[in-house]
Amino acid sequence: MFDGKKLWNQRLGKTAKEMGKYLPYIFNGHLVIVFLFLIGTVAYYYQAWVKQLPSDFPAAAVMALFLSFIVTYSPIYTLLVNADKIFLLPLETKLKEYFRRSIGLSFFMQIYGLLIGLLIFMPMYSHVYKGNGQSFLSLFFILLLLKLINIFIRWQVQYYGSENVLRADSIVRFFMNIVFLYILFSGGSFLFLAIVAVLHILLFAYYVSQTKEKGLKWEYLIQTEERRMMSFYRFANMFTDVPKLKGKIKRRKWL
């Protein structure tokens, strides 16, 4: 009998093992020292810059703009391979547990981006709005919820399998996220914040209703996963030889 949980664990272990072969080459001792030096230098000058900010500095707008990019970008790591469109296609209705874990991994992997982004902007937020540790935890929790609904929306949009729809969805969510985060960081009315949150939920409900009869776009999901792995291989190839790195031919439309 097919077990989606077992298949997911196998795929996750295989992918982790594959990436683990190259991570020691990427994060070698010399590179870590360089990164720490750069981070320390940037942090020193950033702290000095923050101390000079006036009380009317638009910190909320700056934070909303940059953090919206992090929240809106919500890739789904499915770990699918090319053969799945043949062998797993008949089992599509039995893959709910597999893709539930896929969404869970995607959310977990993207928590770090939110945490780092918020940590970067917290000194500026604390200086302008007199925030504290408690406000950081509250903001981070709300950001997690916002990221989660963005991931759910992104998953539903993938049922369209259209780049134009995916692009339009990203633009719509980006501006919705900006409005939500600006109201949040500027201490705006809770009513307006709730209205934008409800709009996110309604958008998700709309996509669910529109994609109810649609099947998974296997070609799109597999190609997305292959592109992601090729991007990792290209990055790792800067530090060591990667046998699995494939050349890419790009069509020049202007020719």
Side-chain angles (χ1 to χ4, degrees), residues 15-60:
T15 304
K17 183 179 179 180
E18 176 67 20
M19 298 179 71
K21 293 192 299 186
Y22 303 105
L23 291 178
Y25 296 101
I26 297 174
F27 297 104
N28 60 66
H30 295 90
L31 188 63
V32 171
I33 293 174
V34 171
F35 275 139
L36 290 176
F37 176 77
L38 290 175
I39 292 173
T41 303
V42 172
Y44 173 79
Y45 286 104
Y46 176 65
Q47 287 285 358
W49 175 74
V50 166
K51 292 178 181 178
Q52 299 175 359
L53 291 178
S55 58
D56 59 347
F57 182 80

Side-chain angles (χ1 to χ4, degrees), residues 68 71-74 76 145-155 169 173-174 177 200:
S68 289
V71 172
T72 304
Y73 179 68
S74 302
I76 310 295
L145 294 178
L146 185 61
K147 168 58 91 171
L148 189 60
I149 188 64
N150 272 262
I151 289 177
F152 282 141
I153 292 173
R154 188 64 173 184
W155 172 252
D169 164 68
R173 285 189 294 110
F174 176 70
N177 291 330
H200 278 85

Side-chain angles (χ1 to χ4, degrees), residues 100-213:
R100 188 179 296 116
R101 290 174 177 271
S102 173
I103 293 173
L105 174 68
S106 304
F107 176 65
F108 178 77
M109 294 295 290
Q110 293 169 51
I111 288 176
Y112 296 103
L114 282 177
L115 180 61
I116 293 172
L118 189 58
L119 283 172
I120 290 174
F121 287 107
M122 274 309 292
M124 181 174 66
Y125 179 83
S126 299
H127 177 80
V128 176
Y129 299 108
K130 311 304 178 185
N132 51 36
Q134 186 176 357
S135 62
F136 171 81
L137 293 176
S138 301
L139 293 174
F140 183 58
F141 178 73
I142 296 174
L143 279 173
L144 289 180
L145 294 178
L146 185 61
K147 168 58 91 171
L148 189 60
I149 188 64
N150 272 262
I151 289 177
F152 282 141
I153 292 173
R154 188 64 173 184
W155 172 252
Q156 292 300 139
V157 174
Q158 289 183 147
Y159 278 94
Y160 287 95
S162 168
E163 290 292 341
N164 292 330
V165 175
L166 290 162
R167 194 176 298 112
D169 164 68
S170 296
I171 293 172
V172 170
R173 285 189 294 110
F174 176 70
F175 285 104
M176 289 175 63
N177 291 330
I178 284 182
V179 174
F180 181 89
L181 292 178
Y182 178 76
I183 296 172
L184 175 67
F185 294 136
S186 62
S189 170
F190 177 79
L191 176 62
F192 293 135
L193 195 67
I195 290 174
V196 182
V198 170
L199 289 177
H200 278 85
I201 297 174
L202 290 177
L203 182 63
F204 172 67
Y206 169 77
Y207 284 134
V208 170
S209 65
Q210 292 297 308
T211 59
K212 189 176 296 183
E213 304 300 326

